[in-house]
Amino acid sequence: MKTILNTSNLSIGYKSRKGNVVIAQDLNLTFDSGKLIALIGANGIGKSTLLRTITGIQSPLAGNVYLNDKSISKYKPLDLAQNLSLVLTEKLPPSNLSVFELVALGRQPYTNWVGTLTPEDIVKVNEALALTQIEHLASKRHFEISDGQLQKVLIARALAQDTPLIILDEPTTHLDLLHKVSLFKLLKKLTQETQKCILFSTHDIDLAIQLSDEMIIMTPEMVVQDEPCNLISKGSFNALFKDEHIVFDAEKGKFIVN
Amino acid sequence: MVNKKRNTILFATLAIGLLLMFFASISLGSVNIPFKEVYTSLTGGQASKLTWEYIIINYRLPKAITAVLVGTGLSISGLLMQTLFRNPLAGPYVLGLSSGASLGVAFVILGAGFLPSFLKIIALSSYGIVLASTLGSTLVLLLVLLVSQRLRDTMAILIVGLMFGSFTTAIVSVLTYFSTAEQLQKFTFWSLGNLGNLSWKSITVLAVSVVFGLVLSAGSIKPLNALLLGENYAKSMGLNIKKARLIIIFATSILAGSITAFAGPIAFIGLAVPHIAKLTFQTSNHMILFWSTLLFGAVIVLFCDIVSQMPGFDVTLPINAITSIIGAPVVIWLLVRKRNLQ
């Protein structure tokens, strides 16, 4: 097992005229290969800021983010694209792209100046389609498929980008329970079969508890990273929502409404 | 691959169509010259009538070449704008470039009365108009580039372009309000567009600018494909968004600016042709769209030019009227037939 990304005494937040707005500080998180890691926290707690900071989009207030032992700010865009791929929540702009073409765009960091696919690129794209079990969709247009299928296509695109770390921003948002579970299982399978590290933010806490290897819980007071069972025994989930009506049942491993 | 075979057939058809249109545009007009004579004349031989030879070399050939340059340049700049702004209704004019050119020309034609007489002659010569229109569109281009460096949001640039457009249009209308009927007629004449009247020297200048713009556009094929997923994905795939955006806007400006300077503001080609190419080839891949838009642009403007020449009649219609008459219904038809315009 190898550490792909880690943060050292990282402080995240925004710089404003009145001074720094600190969202969280002294974060020491590690992301190892072959791990499925869930990031959870209430709305507005700063999950997006954390993701933006560790993907190098936003600069940290203090501390550092290391990707393969090199500070992420020192990466050129193309090098970064070969080490880190994203699956975002935003809607895709209208286009006529087929599923195959969309997944093949993931090869951009490796292709020549016009983006010609080499036989090796095509092998990688087909591998990504096979891993996500969407080969039968390859010739469909991306707007012809369901939300659940589209999410798999976007994951396949990230796989085709061939990076040791994949970060997904709320990949299960628009899906029903069946598709949520199948997506989580797919992510789990991918970490086991490809030894990639996959980090995703989610609000499906009970599913994440059951399926992820590690979880990061964000609350206003602290940010903790551990295996789900350890977090349960430490009682970390109780701090997640400041509401007397929502209680975490440690035995069942899920939240209960009083 | 069925698609590959289909594309090859389509490209071959377009190439043959281009050749036919090119010859037809030289052959047809108020005086019809037989195809055979056109071929002989173009391949260095002697046409059987000296007047035909004269018409071909001095009028028809420069006009046909201008039509090809205008068609390819405007269509490609439309394609670039539509992808960059993720807006199917974007065209080279959304950046306000043609309005800038109009402003320059309006100042020269409508404001010439305020100039001393020797400057007036220079200003009203065809070079003066080209210069004014180039200066106008360059000025708007520089402003757009300046603003685009400060704005992160591509949509904001679109709005800034539209604002420049209405600003310059307003000034033009103020100028027309204070001008004489003769000046007004001259300005209207320019604004109707004209593919003819270009000397070989002007065509060389136009060709160099258009080819330069097209080369820059060809270099943007990969960034344009990345932008199909939106700017954030494009960035995550290693694309330098700021640089790509700058090159794309610069290429559009060179294309639209130089063409407007020499041929006047020509409507609808930049907007409609990319859609025709997208619908025919059923793809968003810019590797294919670039070449198909290029060919379609040349073929369609040559066709419009033939129509405007009114073969067999003594009159010539303004090219801008023809492109609008053909272009507007095409765009409406596209919108109606295809609810989600790609």
Side-chain angles (χ1 to χ4, degrees):
Chain A
M1 193 164 54
K2 184 171 160 274
T3 298
I4 294 165
L5 187 137
N6 68 294
T7 68
S8 82
N9 300 321
L10 180 72
S11 235
I12 60 169
Y14 294 91
K15 289 187 177 101
S16 77
R17 274 182 209 159
K18 289 174 192 161
N20 293 343
V21 181
V22 180
I23 289 174
Q25 52 191 350
D26 295 327
L27 304 181
N28 291 296
L29 307 168
T30 51
F31 302 90
D32 295 334
S33 64
K35 286 272 160 80
L36 178 63
I37 303 170
L39 170 64
I40 61 168
N43 284 329
I45 202 78
K47 295 194 293 295
S48 296
T49 311
L50 178 59
L51 290 183
R52 288 169 63 85
T53 311
I54 61 177
T55 50
I57 298 170
Q58 188 172 338
S59 44
L61 293 179
N64 226 325
V65 179
Y66 295 100
L67 179 59
N68 295 322
D69 299 323
K70 180 176 153 186
S71 173
I72 202 156
S73 57
K74 296 211 171 77
Y75 275 84
K76 293 205 178 80
L78 208 58
D79 292 334
L80 191 62
Q82 295 180 355
N83 282 291
L84 177 73
S85 54
L86 303 178
V87 176
L88 306 166
T89 34
E90 61 184 39
K91 226 178 146 235
L92 295 178
S95 75
N96 245 327
L97 282 176
S98 71
V99 166
F100 185 90
E101 287 174 322
L102 200 161
V103 175
L105 281 177
R107 297 303 298 166
Q108 279 225 344
Y110 307 94
T111 53
N112 64 6
W113 68 280
V114 278
T116 320
L117 295 175
T118 61
E120 190 201 345
D121 289 321
I122 291 172
V123 168
K124 292 273 185 191
V125 173
N126 285 329
E127 267 175 25
L129 290 171
L131 274 169
T132 46
Q133 292 160 339
I134 50 167
E135 294 116 314
H136 59 291
L137 299 174
S139 57
K140 291 240 188 209
R141 309 274 172 204
H142 75 84
F143 52 84
E144 293 171 336
I145 57 178
S146 71
D147 282 351
Q149 289 172 328
L150 182 62
Q151 206 54 253
K152 284 188 181 173
V153 171
L154 292 171
I155 291 170
R157 191 210 61 79
L159 286 173
Q161 206 173 323
D162 200 15
T163 59
L165 177 61
I166 300 177
I167 295 179
L168 303 92
D169 189 13
E170 300 192 12
T172 52
T173 308
H174 299 293
L175 307 181
D176 62 30
L177 186 63
L178 178 72
H179 289 96
K180 274 178 184 170
V181 172
S182 97
L183 195 84
F184 277 139
K185 289 196 127 169
L186 169 66
L187 293 178
K188 180 89 181 169
K189 186 188 86 167
L190 291 177
T191 53
Q192 288 165 347
E193 286 181 9
T194 63
Q195 285 304 302
K196 289 178 192 297
C197 173
I198 297 181
L199 167 67
F200 66 101
S201 62
T202 185
H203 289 294
D204 296 303
I205 298 166
D206 37 353
L207 290 180
I209 288 173
Q210 295 173 59
L211 284 163
S212 52
D213 298 311
E214 285 177 13
M215 292 177 85
I216 299 169
I217 302 180
M218 277 187 96
T219 64
E221 289 80 30
M222 44 134 208
V223 177
V224 284
Q225 176 183 22
D226 209 334
E227 289 170 25
C229 50
N230 295 340
L231 288 169
I232 293 174
S233 54
K234 279 195 281 187
S236 304
F237 288 101
N238 290 318
L240 202 53
F241 300 111
K242 296 267 175 301
D243 192 313
E244 55 195 288
H245 300 298
I246 307 171
V247 184
F248 187 78
D249 185 328
E251 264 169 49
K252 290 183 183 145
K254 63 181 180 183
F255 284 90
I256 289 170
V257 180
N258 271 340
Chain B
M1 294 296 254
V2 187
N3 266 334
K4 253 192 185 149
K5 206 175 159 193
R6 190 169 166 268
N7 286 349
T8 317
I9 295 170
L10 282 170
F11 272 124
T13 317
L14 273 175
I16 294 167
L18 175 62
L19 221 59
L20 280 178
M21 282 292 171
F22 193 78
F23 275 101
S25 134
I26 293 173
S27 150
L28 301 173
S30 50
V31 177
N32 285 341
I33 303 168
F35 256 55
K36 219 181 125 199
E37 299 287 336
V38 172
Y39 182 77
T40 323
S41 182
L42 286 187
T43 48
Q46 195 82 38
S48 50
K49 280 193 197 171
L50 216 60
T51 42
W52 285 353
E53 179 93 20
Y54 186 79
I55 290 173
I56 290 172
I57 300 301
N58 288 303
Y59 291 99
R60 301 271 173 89
L61 186 61
K63 203 171 172 193
I65 291 174
T66 311
V68 170
L69 291 172
V70 166
T72 51
L74 285 181
S75 310
I76 290 295
S77 63
L79 177 68
L80 299 187
M81 290 297 96
Q82 284 168 12
T83 303
L84 180 66
F85 292 119
R86 300 187 292 281
N87 189 332
L89 291 177
Y93 296 137
V94 293
L95 288 179
L97 292 172
S98 80
S99 321
S102 300
L103 184 66
V105 174
F107 264 122
V108 167
I109 297 181
L110 308 174
F114 302 106
L115 291 173
S117 57
F118 72 96
L119 271 180
K120 197 166 149 185
I121 294 166
I122 298 173
L124 288 179
S125 70
S126 61
Y127 279 110
I129 289 174
V130 166
L131 197 68
S133 128
T134 312
L135 281 178
S137 51
T138 312
L139 189 74
V140 173
L141 153 71
L142 288 178
L143 286 170
V144 170
L145 286 181
L146 206 72
V147 173
S148 74
Q149 288 301 294
R150 302 191 129 240
L151 291 174
R152 276 199 193 157
D153 187 8
T154 307
M155 285 305 153
I157 300 172
L158 183 69
I159 296 168
V160 167
L162 287 171
M163 289 303 110
F164 279 133
S166 10
F167 181 74
T168 48
T169 313
I171 293 185
V172 169
S173 34
V174 169
L175 282 172
T176 51
Y177 187 75
F178 289 108
S179 57
T180 64
E182 192 195 344
Q183 289 170 328
L184 210 57
Q185 194 191 19
K186 190 161 184 185
F187 181 70
T188 313
F189 215 76
W190 174 82
S191 67
L192 285 172
N194 190 356
L195 297 178
N197 291 348
L198 254 66
S199 67
W200 282 106
K201 215 191 230 170
S202 310
I203 289 181
T204 316
V205 176
L206 180 62
V208 169
S209 335
V210 169
V211 168
F212 181 60
L214 291 179
V215 168
L216 282 182
S217 314
S220 301
I221 287 175
K222 188 176 168 181
L224 286 167
N225 277 338
L227 283 168
L228 288 175
L229 295 182
E231 292 189 2
N232 286 328
Y233 272 117
K235 228 184 273 176
S236 84
M237 295 187 291
L239 180 70
N240 184 339
I241 289 279
K242 270 196 162 175
K243 193 177 135 201
R245 205 164 65 178
L246 200 71
I247 292 176
I248 291 169
I249 292 179
F250 188 61
T252 312
S253 310
I254 294 254
L255 290 170
S258 64
I259 289 167
T260 313
F262 286 100
I266 291 183
F268 275 105
I269 296 299
L271 174 64
V273 173
H275 287 302
I276 296 170
K278 283 174 201 173
L279 276 182
T280 314
F281 283 82
Q282 297 282 323
T283 183
S284 285
N285 184 353
H286 288 79
M287 194 58 200
I288 292 164
L289 281 183
F290 180 81
W291 297 108
S292 53
T293 306
L294 203 73
L295 286 169
F296 262 121
V299 170
I300 288 169
V301 173
L302 279 170
F303 176 73
C304 290
D305 179 47
I306 294 169
V307 175
S308 78
Q309 280 174 149
M310 298 278 283
F313 293 91
D314 267 345
V315 282
T316 323
L317 296 175
I319 182 77
N320 212 350
I322 304 298
T323 54
S324 299
I325 289 170
I326 296 174
V330 166
V331 173
I332 294 171
W333 176 72
L334 286 174
L335 281 167
V336 173
R337 220 202 70 169
K338 236 183 153 230
R339 262 161 298 155
N340 66 336
L341 204 58
Q342 306 301 325

